[in-house]
Amino acid sequence: MTGAILSMDAVSLSFKDKRVLDNLTFSIPRGQTFGFLGPSGAGKTTTIKLLTRQLAKDAGRISLLGRPIERASAADYERIGILSDTSALYDRMSIADNLRFYARLRGVSHGRVPYLLERMGLTDSAKTLIKNCSKGMRQRAALAASLVHQPELLFLDEPTSGLDPAARAEVHKMLGELRDRGTTVFLTTHDMAEAEAVCDRVAILNDGAIVACDDPEELKLRYARNRVVIRTRTRGTFEVAKDAAGADLIDDLMRAGELVSIHSDEPNLEEVFLEVTGREF
């Protein structure tokens, strides 16, 4: 795990007699967007709380910014941004005042506030009090607040929850720009399409254990079905197995001028998720 900005090695945690995290092991290099996926109650938010020292592990090792998490300093945490379900915005302050407050708290100038308001589509709502904001506006303001100090490591817990498609697309674009600048992102989401779109690597958590971890494309190939879909000119569309008999049939169709198209049948990330977690459609 040398060179990782964030890693867990055989980390476990129990609440009384219930094991909630079991032998978690992963490593995230600098500049990677890492998706941490799992059904509700799988342990995603608990993992973020361990990584941000809101909870303490029972066993294993956690490394944060190149050092054991127990030795992480206040200065280290100034290099981190967090968006979670507990991210605090002040109801009686405007969106812009909240961002300026967090800039002061982080010891940085207010210079990024107009830029963040624009990127989050909040410029026209900058003077709106948080208590008068919709859920989507609150979520965008909270994400902007987590970015005022340009963190090296960013924890995002369901960052696009409550956002409309246009706002979600803008967040995805911003995540790509952050990655290009070398920011490391630890992302939890229930949205498999989102994970496919923005993550370099994903881990799938089920019942407190990682059941799959890889590049999304590699995971889809690993769980690809043993069949291809054939479309013909006069015989319709059908599936054939990826075996010698299937190859012979495809050859016959090609010789007869019947073959219009052939496609392998890889699952999407949602289907992989459902398979490895034992869930059903």
Side-chain angles (χ1 to χ4, degrees):
M1 294 190 181
T2 303
I5 194 169
L6 183 68
S7 66
M8 280 186 158
D9 184 12
V11 172
S12 296
L13 176 67
S14 297
F15 295 149
K16 294 184 178 180
D17 295 331
K18 179 178 174 58
R19 178 65 66 92
V20 292
L21 296 176
D22 186 17
N23 199 39
L24 294 194
T25 299
F26 61 82
S27 176
I28 309 173
R30 186 176 298 277
Q32 187 174 90
T33 298
F34 185 82
F36 203 61
L37 317 178
S40 297
K44 302 186 300 298
T45 299
T46 298
T47 301
I48 285 184
K49 288 181 177 179
L50 279 178
L51 293 169
T52 54
R53 290 183 70 179
Q54 297 173 69
L55 290 172
K57 58 185 170 51
D58 294 334
R61 294 184 295 277
I62 301 175
S63 174
L64 179 69
L65 299 171
R67 70 180 76 195
I69 196 167
E70 295 81 4
R71 287 167 38 201
S73 65
D76 289 328
Y77 281 93
E78 289 301 317
R79 299 159 62 189
I80 294 172
I82 303 173
L83 171 66
S84 73
D85 57 2
T86 59
S87 294
L89 294 173
Y90 293 91
D91 278 353
R92 296 183 180 278
M93 292 169 58
S94 70
I95 294 172
D97 284 342
N98 266 277
L99 299 193
R100 284 190 283 265
F101 171 78
Y102 275 101
R104 289 196 302 273
L105 195 65
R106 291 291 193 172
V108 298
S109 76
H110 300 167
R112 275 174 56 81
V113 170
Y115 162 77
L116 290 169
L117 288 170
E118 180 182 359
R119 289 308 308 272
M120 291 294 101
L122 294 169
T123 300
D124 292 341
S125 306
K127 295 182 180 180
T128 302
L129 300 183
I130 292 296
K131 68 178 183 178
N132 296 328
C133 289
S134 66
K135 179 182 178 182
M137 290 170 65
R138 281 176 176 261
Q139 188 75 354
R140 284 179 281 156
L143 177 56
S146 73
L147 294 169
V148 291
H149 60 305
Q150 302 187 70
E152 295 176 42
L153 173 61
L154 184 60
F155 291 98
L156 298 178
D157 193 2
E158 303 288 345
T160 57
S161 174
L163 300 189
D164 61 46
R168 187 180 299 117
E170 193 61 33
V171 170
H172 292 175
K173 182 179 178 181
M174 177 174 277
L175 290 177
E177 292 170 1
L178 289 170
R179 177 176 55 193
D180 291 344
R181 292 203 296 265
T183 303
T184 306
V185 178
F186 185 97
L187 168 72
T188 71
T189 180
H190 283 98
D191 186 339
M192 297 300 113
E194 176 168 86
E196 250 184 284
V198 305
C199 294
D200 301 297
R201 213 157 45 99
V202 298
I204 299 177
L205 190 70
N206 192 43
D207 294 330
I210 292 175
V211 292
C213 184
D214 211 331
D215 175 309
E217 289 301 318
E218 288 299 320
L219 281 178
K220 290 190 291 182
L221 289 173
R222 188 181 308 164
Y223 290 91
R225 302 172 184 89
N226 187 34
R227 64 193 185 195
V228 293
V229 179
I230 304 296
R231 183 183 176 193
T232 66
R233 295 188 186 281
T234 65
R235 304 180 195 179
T237 299
F238 52 91
E239 298 176 355
V240 300
K242 295 178 182 177
D243 56 17
D248 288 341
L249 177 57
I250 291 169
D251 184 58
D252 289 343
L253 291 169
M254 291 180 67
R255 291 178 185 279
E258 276 285 339
L259 187 64
V260 174
S261 64
I262 178 171
H263 299 283
S264 57
D265 189 19
E266 287 84 19
N268 58 34
L269 191 58
E270 180 177 12
E271 291 170 316
V272 172
F273 174 88
L274 294 172
E275 180 169 344
V276 301
T277 60
R279 309 278 162 155
E280 297 181 354
F281 285 107

